[in-house]
Amino acid sequence: MSPLARTAPVPAATDPAIIRNFCIIAHIDHGKSTLADRMLQATGVVQPREMKAQYLDRMDIERERGITIKSQAVRMPWELEGKAHALNMIDTPGHVDFTYEVSRSLAACEGAILLVDAAQGIEAQTLANLYMAMENDLTIIPVLNKIDLPAAQPEKYAEELANLIGGEPDDVLRVSGKTGEGVEALLDKIVRDLPAPVGDADAPARAMIFDSVYDSYRGVVTYVRVVDGNLKPRERIQMMSTRASHELLEIGVSSPEPQPTKGLGVGEVGYLITGVKDVRQSKVGDTVTNLNKPASEQLAGYDEPKPMVFSGLYPLDGSDYPALRDALEKLQLNDAALIYEPETSVALGFGFRVGFLGLLHLEIVRERLEREFGLDLISTAPNVVYQVMTEDKATVTVTNPSEFPEGKILEVREPMVSATVLAPSEFVGTIMELCQARRGQMGGMDYLSEDRVEMHYRLPLAEIVFDFFDHLKSRTRGYASLDWKADGEQVADLVKVDVLLQGDHVDAFSAITHKDKAYAYGLMMTKKLRELIPRQQFEVPIQAAIGSRIIARENIRAIRKDVLAKCYGGDISRKRKLLEKQKEGKKRMKTVGRVEVPQEAFIAALSSQSAAGEKKK
Ligand SMILES: Nc1nc2c(ncn2[C@@H]2O[C@H](COP(=O)(O)OP(=O)(O)OP(=O)(O)O)[C@@H](O)[C@H]2O)c(=O)[nH]1
């Protein structure tokens, strides 16, 4: 049958029996976006001449880095045995920082395609996503991708997959997102195997928001899945958590370009436009209902994204501060997970403390600020969030080492994660060593097959979020994969290490570390600063301290720099010129106490400090 005959247009406000809502879940780089591209082509919603790789990845950064950050939903027609169907595909991101986006997408679907690279097999995020899909009671269609690769081992991995989710290896579909092989069979299987959505068409409307995107032309575009009732244009709708009401200016489906419709009914996935300007007014996880005939109960929401890593962002040029504030405000319209507040630093001036989901999120935000808003930025070493209990039993939330309370401290709690590492069994020893060095507690080990093992650990977030993955990869020659999720807190022996120049604190270099690592940090910072700070006209001690206890010390010897020395006997105007020049130079200096430090020294020290984290992509 020709593809055209199978892709007849589907009317809007459709009978739920012909709808199939699904997402594709996979480990990063196993080929979700490429497969989604082939489906768009096979169903005829994108014409070959309009096709570009990773059609659904709209942001430049997504395309350049080949990763998916925001999820997107698209509706595709597909005919099976002469009957038209509407398939709603929700593309999901694969990186661990964006797991919360996966969980929202899953809640909008009845089924999931579990996509596994036929040359790599099951990886840590394959498992994490599969478990999440099972928790949401989704029907799973296992699929092996990249069967065109010479290194593909479909037999071996079909068996691994069948063992994991039950069923026969022959039931595992084999496709190639590159050549398109098997894609039509997969579309048929989606129609046959996935359940149609069920809901009460006559009940008051309830639709779940699973994504909210800011569009500079149309304002906030909200993606919803209708569970009960229906929504129509020009009606007034209400957000159930905030009770805010809006007029529905436009409602429609993405196919994949927006197509306004006369409404959305039970089981349908589409978008709403209400004229709100800020994604936070259209909160992901909220339920949309009809203002005149409101539903009595909200749908179960999902966890709000929670920032895990904080870092200070400062403009290199202090006069860019208002521009940075405006840029952050704009980015936040589009990124509900981004939070920030102003802060000042002795060393760096005015800036913002910004919360991120992880290091990748940090890098992306920073890159967007620099690229889209033309800002030059410096970011301070990232840290996690600590809870500190002081002597009077007050608990202080610390997102910046400078907020660490002075005086006696009863306990410090740090965030924990439960991590899964998947690797060939020959690497078990070296992985255990690494996890122990990072204060990990082993939770058990499962063999997926004879030579592949799944290891469970509970680890402090601060030990895993920065450079753990790099170390894991280099110890296992790139074969290990990692996934983790937040898992409570633990009390730990944590201290704040301060860095002092001539007795004055330099806030940008303070860090909260485990007691055992405090000395190493102190030594490293004092040494580095001695190399970076030029000699002054007096001796400058550089110290690292925990409270009032000095743990490391370096000295910068004094020098007397007489700029007039070489003009002995010269004329007065030349002397003046030299003095002027010296004054200019001083403007670029930051003064800490009496010590003048070139801004470049701060930047150099901070960038090498966070280099370990920056490498992790
Ligand atoms: N040979 C071959 N390569 C493929 C196939 N499918 C995807 N690839 C390649 O695998 C790489 C990853 O593919 P993507 O589609 O970007 O992977 P993804 O899972 O969407 O990645 P994220 O969006 O970051 O989660 C790309 O270089 C693709 O060209 C396939 O069937 N065969």
Side-chain angles (χ1 to χ4, degrees):
M1 198 181 295
S2 88
L4 276 184
R6 306 188 61 176
T7 60
V10 179
T14 332
D15 169 16
I18 67 158
I19 298 174
R20 301 289 183 275
N21 296 325
F22 70 97
C23 54
I24 307 176
I25 51 177
H27 190 73
I28 191 155
D29 279 347
H30 280 201
K32 282 188 311 283
S33 307
T34 311
L35 179 64
D37 285 350
R38 290 294 87 69
M39 288 185 169
L40 294 179
Q41 263 178 333
T43 55
V45 296
V46 178
Q47 298 307 318
R49 71 193 144 76
E50 291 167 355
M51 195 67 210
K52 45 192 176 214
Q54 300 192 346
Y55 194 93
L56 297 176
D57 292 349
R58 300 279 167 109
M59 275 197 253
D60 283 351
I61 298 179
E62 289 185 307
R63 223 170 276 224
E64 274 166 34
R65 294 191 176 213
I67 51 167
T68 307
I69 300 163
K70 296 296 289 185
S71 30
Q72 296 279 353
V74 56
R75 171 172 161 140
M76 303 177 293
W78 190 246
E79 221 173 271
L80 180 69
E81 289 150 9
K83 196 169 162 201
H85 290 85
L87 312 186
N88 292 312
M89 169 170 64
I90 295 172
D91 193 27
T92 55
H95 192 277
V96 66
D97 277 12
F98 300 100
T99 306
Y100 84 102
E101 300 238 355
V102 179
S103 69
R104 328 161 173 183
S105 314
L106 294 181
C109 300
E110 276 76 36
I113 296 174
L114 181 68
L115 194 67
V116 174
D117 185 326
Q120 306 269 326
I122 294 166
E123 302 276 7
Q125 279 149 257
T126 319
L127 291 178
N129 287 330
L130 171 66
Y131 298 148
M132 235 194 294
M134 285 158 79
E135 276 166 27
N136 278 283
D137 289 329
L138 300 194
T139 304
I140 312 282
I141 300 182
V143 177
L144 284 172
N145 189 28
K146 308 198 189 181
I147 51 165
D148 60 289
L149 285 177
Q153 293 177 283
E155 302 306 324
K156 176 177 170 189
Y157 293 126
E159 190 154 345
E160 232 180 64
L161 261 173
N163 280 342
L164 183 68
I165 57 177
E168 294 301 317
D170 286 345
D171 295 338
V172 178
L173 271 189
R174 288 137 208 234
V175 306
S176 164
K178 187 173 175 191
T179 65
E181 188 184 341
V183 172
E184 295 204 356
L186 173 58
L187 290 162
D188 288 347
K189 198 171 169 76
I190 291 170
V191 173
R192 269 200 205 102
D193 290 6
L194 296 190
V198 280
D200 184 348
D202 302 320
R206 288 200 299 175
M208 171 172 55
I209 302 181
F210 66 86
D211 206 357
S212 236
V213 185
Y214 178 76
D215 180 307
S216 45
Y217 297 107
R218 303 189 295 164
V220 172
V221 181
T222 302
Y223 289 88
V224 295
R225 142 85 198 248
V226 179
V227 175
D228 293 322
N230 58 62
L231 295 170
K232 295 201 184 70
R234 298 284 146 202
E235 280 175 344
R236 279 201 83 77
I237 53 163
Q238 188 175 47
M239 305 291 172
M240 291 187 75
S241 73
T242 58
R243 300 272 158 210
S245 71
H246 308 281
E247 186 183 345
L248 209 51
L249 301 178
E250 185 181 319
I251 186 163
V253 296
S254 312
S255 194
E257 301 308 327
Q259 283 176 11
T261 61
K262 294 203 173 72
L264 289 178
V266 168
E268 287 202 286
V269 173
Y271 69 89
L272 312 173
I273 295 177
T274 58
V276 303
K277 288 272 176 274
D278 184 339
V279 285
R280 286 166 300 173
Q281 286 172 282
S282 223
K283 266 195 342 208
V284 165
D286 205 349
T287 304
V288 179
T289 190
N290 201 306
L291 184 67
N292 295 329
K293 193 181 153 195
S296 49
E297 247 180 82
Q298 246 174 281
L299 297 162
Y302 358 43
D303 299 342
E304 292 232 1
K306 205 168 115 208
M308 306 284 247
V309 174
F310 283 77
S311 164
L313 284 186
Y314 291 85
L316 271 189
D317 178 352
S319 63
D320 277 346
Y321 175 78
L324 174 59
R325 189 188 51 216
D326 293 349
L328 280 168
E329 220 168 78
K330 286 221 177 76
L331 277 194
Q332 200 179 38
L333 293 179
N334 193 9
D335 186 347
L338 181 72
I339 61 160
Y340 63 90
E341 57 183 49
E343 74 171 6
T344 47
S345 148
V346 177
L348 304 167
F350 291 101
F352 292 92
R353 176 114 307 233
V354 189
F356 303 95
L357 297 168
L359 279 201
L360 180 68
H361 189 205
L362 185 160
E363 281 175 42
I364 286 167
V365 168
R366 192 179 155 171
E367 208 169 310
R368 289 188 67 188
L369 288 169
E370 299 198 314
R371 192 187 293 196
E372 295 171 26
F373 300 90
L375 293 163
D376 282 325
L377 299 173
I378 167 112
S379 48
T380 62
N383 59 266
V384 303
V385 183
Y386 299 95
Q387 305 291 339
V388 182
M389 202 201 278
T390 53
E391 212 174 7
D392 50 6
K393 296 260 160 74
T395 301
V396 182
T397 301
V398 173
T399 59
N400 181 347
S402 68
E403 296 163 353
F404 202 84
E406 305 284 331
K408 197 164 160 39
I409 278 159
L410 290 186
E411 64 176 35
V412 184
R413 293 196 304 273
E414 62 176 341
M416 299 293 288
V417 300
S418 56
T420 306
V421 177
L422 224 117
S425 41
E426 64 191 279
F427 297 116
V428 164
T430 177
I431 295 171
M432 284 174 136
E433 234 173 61
L434 175 66
C435 292
Q436 263 154 22
R438 299 302 181 99
R439 300 189 283 130
Q441 302 138 18
M442 187 154 189
M445 232 163 55
D446 294 314
Y447 279 84
L448 283 181
S449 59
E450 260 172 35
D451 55 354
R452 280 169 72 77
V453 58
E454 183 186 353
M455 301 166 73
H456 303 280
Y457 268 92
R458 188 157 190 261
L459 288 139
L461 175 64
E463 298 281 355
I464 202 170
V465 76
F466 305 120
D467 57 352
F468 182 85
F469 190 58
D470 291 338
H471 285 272
L472 183 67
K473 281 276 178 194
S474 66
R475 279 172 182 243
T476 59
R477 297 201 304 271
Y479 281 116
S481 59
L482 166 75
D483 191 82
W484 49 264
K485 60 172 193 267
D487 185 14
E489 292 177 339
Q490 79 169 10
V491 174
D493 232 343
L494 299 164
V495 291
K496 178 183 166 205
V497 182
D498 286 315
V499 175
L500 299 96
L501 277 186
Q502 256 215 340
D504 285 311
H505 280 146
V506 191
D507 53 358
F509 298 131
S510 299
I512 297 169
T513 70
H514 191 260
K515 215 161 120 204
D516 296 346
K517 293 179 183 168
Y519 287 92
Y521 178 79
L523 280 178
M524 181 214 37
M525 276 326 280
T526 46
K527 272 215 168 68
K528 197 180 287 171
L529 288 175
R530 196 199 57 194
E531 285 161 19
L532 290 168
I533 297 176
R535 288 161 73 182
Q536 318 263 321
Q537 299 190 348
F538 42 85
E539 190 179 88
V540 179
I542 308 171
Q543 296 162 311
I546 301 173
S548 55
R549 193 159 50 91
I550 305 296
I551 56 169
R553 177 183 172 125
E554 295 277 343
N555 263 338
I556 304 176
R557 278 187 299 123
I559 177 188
R560 193 178 155 73
K561 192 176 172 201
D562 187 353
V563 288
L564 302 183
K566 40 186 163 163
C567 322
Y568 178 72
D571 84 280
I572 184 75
S573 67
R574 192 151 162 240
K575 275 187 192 166
R576 259 200 217 114
K577 225 175 183 174
L578 276 169
L579 285 168
E580 280 297 312
K581 219 162 137 195
Q582 193 191 32
K583 218 158 108 195
E584 267 300 296
K586 278 193 176 167
K587 275 198 202 147
R588 270 181 280 127
M589 299 280 185
K590 301 272 176 184
T591 322
V592 180
R594 279 170 63 212
V595 187
E596 285 176 344
V597 185
Q599 189 169 9
E600 292 82 58
F602 282 120
I603 295 166
L606 280 171
S607 36
S608 47
Q609 194 185 4
S610 54
E614 302 239 328
K615 267 190 296 172
K616 182 187 172 278
K617 279 181 190 159

